[in-house]
Amino acid sequence: MPDEPQLEPLPPEAEAVEAPAEERPPERQYCLFRAGRERFCLSVLDVEEVVEWPPVTGVPLAPPFLLGVFNLRGAIVPVIDIAFTEGRRSDLPPRHIVVASRRGQEEGGDLRLGIASDEVMGTCTTSEPLLVDEAPRDVPHCCGMLRHEDRLALALDFRRLVEAFPVPVI
């Protein structure tokens, strides 16, 4: 019989196996802004950009939440006011527009929506999950709450936002 290879024991230092790293939830980034009295957040993956308040053209016979449309580098973008139910003061117009977008399946099928904002606080990176159970039931475009700096922000879901504030495609 030919000599069979023999396995030799490993030295003790080679047996030490590193403990598996604790799996942390993935980090997510949100754009935080205020509209009316409420703080909101939207995933940065849904935010195309934030612009200073441009000239907005009103749309005749539009629903009360549609403030109008504006031109963003040749694209007409509808602007909604998610704080319209709070009776925003007419002498304090919004200062920014958070432009949210979603890629369409077809070429040119992108959907853009401007959200009127009184203040943009910036971005927040967190690995904390959204507080889904804390989401108010009477806010259909909200998918949870985000805790940031000891305050809560309503987390917006772009798909639900478009369903709650339907604007015709322009």
Side-chain angles (χ1 to χ4, degrees):
M1 272 190 168
D3 289 338
E4 292 186 24
Q6 297 291 325
L7 297 176
E8 295 183 24
L10 292 173
E13 61 271 6
E15 288 184 20
V17 177
E18 290 184 31
E22 287 187 31
E23 298 217 13
R24 295 188 316 181
E27 289 190 337
R28 293 187 175 97
Q29 261 192 321
Y30 296 94
C31 175
L32 290 162
F33 60 96
R34 183 177 57 79
R37 295 185 301 261
E38 289 291 336
R39 292 177 92 183
F40 295 94
C41 66
L42 187 62
S43 171
V44 294
L45 298 175
D46 291 333
V47 176
E48 184 174 321
E49 65 184 289
V50 175
V51 297
E52 294 291 324
W53 191 259
V56 174
T57 303
V59 177
L61 304 173
F65 61 82
L66 182 61
L67 295 176
V69 296
F70 78 104
N71 184 337
L72 179 65
R73 292 182 301 282
I76 303 301
V77 178
V79 180
I80 63 167
D81 184 7
I82 57 179
F84 82 97
T85 57
E86 297 177 11
R88 181 189 299 277
R89 289 178 40 188
S90 58
D91 61 330
L92 294 175
R95 296 173 46 199
H96 304 280
I97 295 178
V98 177
V99 180
S101 66
R102 177 68 44 101
R103 283 256 183 243
Q105 311 312 53
E106 309 154 4
E107 186 177 323
D110 297 351
L111 176 61
R112 283 191 175 111
L113 185 64
I115 305 168
S117 167
D118 297 311
E119 176 185 13
V120 177
M121 282 82 115
T123 59
C124 163
T125 303
T126 183
S127 58
E128 297 284 322
L130 288 177
L131 303 171
V132 177
D133 295 337
E134 303 288 325
R137 304 268 184 251
D138 59 339
V139 184
H141 49 284
C142 177
C143 63
M145 302 283 279
L146 174 72
R147 187 177 310 279
H148 178 256
E149 296 178 358
D150 295 330
R151 296 197 56 197
L152 292 174
L154 294 169
L156 300 175
D157 179 281
F158 187 76
R159 183 186 52 78
R160 291 182 186 177
L161 191 66
V162 171
E163 290 171 3
F165 298 98
V167 292
V169 177
I170 299 171

